Amino acid sequence: MRPAWVEPAASNQPQRYGPRGGTAHEDVFGTERTRSAEEVPRRFSEAVRAECEEICGRYPQRRAALLPLLRVAEREFGCVDLGAMRLVAEVVDVSPAHVWGVFSFYTHYRRPGTGRHLVQVCRTLPCELRGARAVWERLRSRLGVGDGETTPDGRCTLKRVECLGSCGTAPVVQVDDDYHEGLTPEAVDRLLAGVLGA
Amino acid sequence: MSGAVNMTVDGRPVQARGGQNVLGACLEAGVHVPHYCYHPGLSVAGNCRMCMVEIEGQRTPTVTGCTTPVAEGMAVRTSTPKVRAAQEAVLEYLLANHPLDCPVCDQAGECDLQDFSFRHGRGQGRFHEEKVVKHIKDLGPRVKFWGTRCIVCTRCVRFCQEVSGTGELSVIERGDHSVIDTFPGIPLDNELAGNTVDICPVGALLSSDFLYRARVWFLRATPTVCATCSKGCDITVETLEGEVQRVRPRPNPDVNEWWMCDRGRHDLDYVASPDRLASALLEGGASATSDVVARVAESLRAHAGRVAVLVSAWQTVEAAWLAQRLAQALGGRTALVARPDVPGRVYPRFRIEDDANPNRAGVERVLGPAGGPGAGAVLADLTAGRLTAALVLGGMPRWEPPPALVAALERARFVAVVDILRGPLVDLADAVLAGAAFVEKDGVYLNSAGRAQRLRRALDPPGEALCEELLLQRLLAALGHWEAGEVSAGAVFGMAAAAVPALAGLDHQGLGELGRLAGVAPSQ
């Protein structure tokens, strides 16, 4: 008989570890949210299929088209979910796990459950030096949500991300497809009143 | 790309192959360079940063040996202060989020994190932050995953992409959150999945089957050959307290490279089955082996000239040759019996054979064209009463004897069976001798490519059971046809090799760890 204590934890729930603590990370990547959403079968229309073929044709290997095709899937289905990843895997001829790995590496694709607006706050060093933390704190307190969370009304999903590639205009926040540059907490208030309608 | 490249490693001249990387050349030259992500059977990833070496005259202070091609005149240093500092730093990073739960980890004792920390680590961690804790889960029915212990070397991911071609695994998320995972709903369930556990350099991937069964340093390892199909993968059988605890592949570039299939790993339950025969039986009742041997010899002699000797494709070359001798002594006829094919599978870099018998090639060569391959003519003669007695050398687990064979044996006036498990043939036999499973005996198997490889005894047969080559020697002696006394499988193989042209020039010692092709002269 094996003693009961040796069985590993059956779930993926956060657990404490070690004398100094240490906790399972919060779902800032949205991975758990993506994983736990029920898989919906996804299909591309003939026209989108043709668009996919055109994109694949730009590269020497089909798998190189993976990132732009995830964008296509995001546009078609409103987010990249498990069904979309399985579909893209089939189009570029790689395993679904490979797509899952590539997709989850990036923060900028919309996960299932993402609000109408996706607010990405850069937290890499140049933005940090130029006041990103104050910008983040203002967004967080005004929206009342934490990293990776969505407002209860489904309007905004807030997350901190790595370099958005606009260090010259730091600190930067990306709202959907647009950069908002050189922000201050006051500029955040204007942004919230304007685009985000909060 | 090819051709010899002359270089030095720590001042010692080393000859490498063109196109080889520095790490591979060092390892082949017997120089220890610690590494995690590099595996000779997989593509180079260069992500663990452990195999740092210094190359004289290069501006970079240290480079990873696995990603640096060898070059003529290159001078490699594997243990300079810079190299040691790099190794210490890499290990400190790798252990930053590691739980250090070695007391309850199955990998303990054969863990590269433990061993390299001992040899190359700095001994103290300086990490004061909270550890990132990753998921602990089943990746598939036979493989468990501890993300906490994982160093994300991606050996398992590359294995599933390159060797099995099934691609179930991937690294998800990034940075210190990187973790191995499957796509939801597509578990790691291919028949080569067990290899990911073997190649995991730490305790991240563990076998569900072996989980918490034993501390590995108590296991006794015996090199032998897998019997599940005719591929004949080289394996190590690890035993403790008289039971098989674990089966792992042994690298053999000419047979199985570094791998084996999960069928072979999990095919050994029958060895400890309650249905194992542990003593000889006479008319269904347990009897002394010596009495049953005498009775079988006497009965077969009474049917001399009308005896069928059926040899299974699970018997060793030695047992098959002795069975052939016995048939000659009795004026009998031999035939091969085998398990029906089980559909194999072809993976990009591994093939599971259809033939579910480990030694068909060996038994066929020993019995010769007259003795095999089909048992049809012999069965017909048994059914027609032209043959009146039979000796069956079985030993095939999970085998349902075909109805034609059972019917033919039911017609025989005397049937003796040597087997390892109870079954229809044991039930109908007049006399039964208990034999040994393949992990319980020495001998030689020939795989489907005709490669002769040695079986080695990892366990004792249960109770009174004996290896078939001993039982057959005793039968031959009782018939007055064995002068040699009781000799080892190696000695029997020597006699067989002298008598069977297809085995010429082979002997146990010469087969070594990796075997040799039968019918080919010893290499120069």
Side-chain angles (χ1 to χ4, degrees):
Chain A
M1 273 302 280
R2 293 174 186 176
W5 60 267
V6 297
E7 282 305 323
S11 73
N12 299 324
Q13 292 304 306
Q15 47 189 289
R16 305 294 298 186
Y17 226 119
R20 207 177 280 125
T23 43
H25 63 270
E26 286 151 18
D27 190 25
V28 291
F29 283 77
T31 305
E32 284 313 319
R33 211 163 64 233
T34 311
R35 191 201 310 272
S36 55
E38 199 179 331
E39 185 170 339
V40 182
R42 297 290 193 185
R43 292 191 55 178
F44 285 144
S45 67
E46 283 302 315
V48 175
R49 277 268 173 190
E51 183 188 353
C52 292
E53 286 307 310
E54 187 273 316
I55 292 169
C56 287
R58 296 179 200 164
Y59 305 98
Q61 293 178 326
R62 289 183 78 81
R63 61 191 301 157
L66 184 46
L67 293 179
L69 290 194
L70 285 172
R71 274 279 179 254
V72 171
E74 184 183 45
R75 185 194 72 205
E76 290 297 310
F77 309 127
C79 67
V80 180
D81 59 8
L82 295 177
M85 281 188 258
R86 216 187 265 259
L87 176 61
V88 170
E90 179 209 312
V91 173
V92 299
D93 194 24
V94 297
S95 73
H98 181 79
V99 178
W100 177 229
V102 171
F103 164 80
S104 61
F105 179 89
Y106 293 100
T107 44
H108 53 62
Y109 293 107
R110 295 172 74 90
R111 265 78 177 156
T114 301
R116 288 194 297 284
H117 296 292
L118 178 58
V119 182
Q120 304 180 67
V121 185
C122 180
R123 65 165 181 190
T124 306
L125 187 62
C127 282
E128 189 77 16
L129 293 174
R130 298 281 299 155
R133 189 156 301 195
V135 169
W136 163 255
E137 285 302 333
R138 182 63 63 97
L139 277 165
R140 203 176 59 84
S141 62
R142 286 287 309 273
L143 291 171
V145 291
D147 193 2
E149 293 176 0
T150 303
T151 53
D153 61 1
R155 187 191 315 249
C156 289
T157 296
L158 181 64
K159 64 181 177 186
R160 284 193 292 182
V161 299
E162 300 303 336
C163 188
L164 288 171
S166 188
C167 310
T169 58
V172 173
V173 170
Q174 183 181 347
V175 178
D176 301 327
D177 288 338
D178 297 320
Y179 277 177
H180 298 267
E181 302 166 305
L183 290 177
T184 59
E186 294 69 39
V188 166
D189 291 338
R190 290 195 293 278
L191 177 66
L192 287 166
V195 184
L196 299 176
Chain B
M1 285 298 277
S2 53
V5 173
N6 295 297
M7 51 191 281
T8 63
V9 176
D10 298 330
R12 193 161 67 82
V14 163
Q15 202 167 61
R17 285 172 278 114
Q20 206 173 12
N21 59 58
V22 168
L23 176 57
C26 288
L27 297 175
E28 281 181 27
V31 180
H32 165 79
V33 177
H35 58 278
Y36 294 108
C37 70
Y38 173 82
H39 188 282
L42 301 172
S43 63
V44 170
N47 63 28
C48 78
R49 318 310 291 173
M50 193 64 207
C51 66
M52 289 294 189
V53 294
E54 197 174 332
I55 291 172
E56 284 176 22
Q58 277 205 1
R59 261 177 301 172
T60 334
T62 57
V63 296
T64 47
C66 67
T67 55
T68 308
V70 295
E72 185 67 30
M74 185 180 261
V76 178
R77 296 269 163 196
T78 67
S79 191
T80 63
K82 276 185 206 162
V83 168
R84 288 200 299 274
Q87 288 167 338
E88 278 188 10
V90 169
L91 271 172
E92 193 176 3
Y93 275 121
L94 289 178
L95 291 179
N97 285 317
H98 191 86
L100 302 173
D101 56 349
C102 307
V104 293
C105 176
D106 268 358
Q107 191 84 359
E110 53 184 21
C111 175
D112 288 346
L113 265 182
Q114 285 187 332
D115 296 348
F116 297 164
S117 293
F118 182 76
R119 284 179 79 160
H120 309 284
R122 65 192 301 279
Q124 281 178 316
R126 293 173 293 182
F127 187 73
H128 280 262
E129 321 305 319
E130 287 208 334
K131 289 177 188 283
V132 175
V133 180
K134 303 178 204 170
H135 59 220
I136 297 171
K137 63 187 286 190
D138 288 354
L139 291 179
R142 296 178 300 286
V143 179
K144 285 181 181 289
F145 176 69
W146 268 257
T148 47
R149 299 171 185 156
C150 180
I151 59 167
V152 206
C153 73
T154 70
R155 277 187 183 181
C156 54
V157 175
R158 283 173 282 146
F159 178 87
C160 290
Q161 286 168 351
E162 297 164 18
V163 181
S164 71
T166 44
E168 294 98 335
L169 297 182
S170 188
V171 179
I172 67 161
E173 301 196 355
R174 70 175 172 198
D176 60 0
H177 288 63
S178 301
V179 64
I180 304 296
D181 204 359
T182 51
F183 191 80
I186 308 179
L188 175 63
D189 193 16
N190 69 72
E191 287 188 296
L192 303 181
N195 293 295
T196 60
V197 175
D198 299 333
I199 60 178
C200 181
V202 304
L205 289 163
L206 295 177
S207 152
S208 312
D209 195 45
F210 183 66
L211 192 69
Y212 304 132
R213 269 179 79 150
R215 301 271 71 187
V216 296
W217 50 87
F218 293 126
L219 298 177
R220 204 187 60 168
T222 308
T224 185
V225 178
C226 182
T228 299
C229 81
S230 64
K231 185 183 184 79
C233 289
D234 289 21
I235 58 170
T236 301
V237 171
E238 291 170 280
T239 56
L240 182 65
E241 291 162 1
E243 275 186 46
V244 176
Q245 302 290 345
R246 182 165 71 165
V247 177
R248 294 200 296 171
R250 220 163 21 101
N252 185 339
D254 295 316
V255 181
N256 52 309
E257 294 195 288
W258 294 266
W259 327 118
M260 71 180 293
C261 72
D262 287 2
R263 296 185 195 179
R265 282 175 208 270
H266 302 289
D267 194 32
L268 272 79
D269 329 345
Y270 68 86
V271 172
S273 154
D275 283 339
R276 276 299 297 273
L277 294 170
S279 75
L281 306 173
L282 209 50
E283 274 124 29
S287 249
T289 304
S290 55
D291 293 349
V292 179
V293 166
R295 170 68 184 279
V296 172
E298 184 188 315
S299 302
L300 292 179
R301 198 200 316 261
H303 291 268
R306 288 165 292 148
V307 175
V309 178
L310 303 178
V311 185
S312 89
W314 280 62
Q315 293 296 330
T316 59
V317 164
E318 292 83 349
W321 183 72
L322 290 167
Q324 169 86 326
R325 284 278 306 263
L326 190 75
Q328 283 165 356
L330 293 164
R333 290 166 52 196
T334 57
L336 172 86
V337 288
R339 298 204 302 185
D341 282 0
V342 175
R345 178 118 194 230
V346 181
Y347 293 93
R349 279 175 46 198
F350 193 88
R351 179 193 183 92
I352 302 172
E353 301 289 340
D354 296 332
D355 183 358
N357 299 283
N359 194 33
R360 185 192 293 269
V363 175
E364 276 179 1
R365 280 173 208 220
V366 170
L367 299 186
V378 170
L379 294 192
D381 285 352
L382 272 170
T383 310
R386 289 188 288 275
L387 295 174
T388 52
L391 170 66
V392 184
L393 292 167
M396 297 194 282
R398 294 186 248 287
W399 177 53
E400 205 56 51
L405 174 63
V406 175
L409 291 175
E410 274 169 350
R411 290 293 307 274
R413 301 232 300 276
F414 176 79
V415 176
V417 169
V418 182
D419 216 326
I420 58 172
L421 292 162
R422 290 180 191 284
L425 296 193
V426 167
D427 292 344
L428 69 78
D430 299 290
V432 176
L433 289 161
F438 81 97
V439 290
E440 296 162 352
K441 57 193 172 193
D442 294 315
V444 171
Y445 276 171
L446 259 64
N447 74 0
S448 55
R451 189 179 193 83
Q453 304 192 95
R454 281 183 67 179
L455 288 182
R456 284 186 182 78
R457 181 177 177 137
L459 291 174
D460 292 332
E464 308 289 309
L466 285 171
C467 303
E468 285 81 352
E469 85 271 359
L470 276 182
L471 293 170
L472 287 163
Q473 288 179 53
R474 290 185 191 179
L475 275 173
L476 280 164
L479 290 163
H481 283 271
W482 191 253
E483 313 298 331
E486 263 178 34
V487 298
S488 68
V492 175
F493 188 79
M495 300 179 213
V500 180
L503 301 175
L506 299 180
D507 62 69
H508 269 205
Q509 196 125 47
L511 293 180
E513 296 293 316
L514 303 179
R516 243 174 59 197
L517 278 181
V520 175
S523 56
Q524 310 69 23

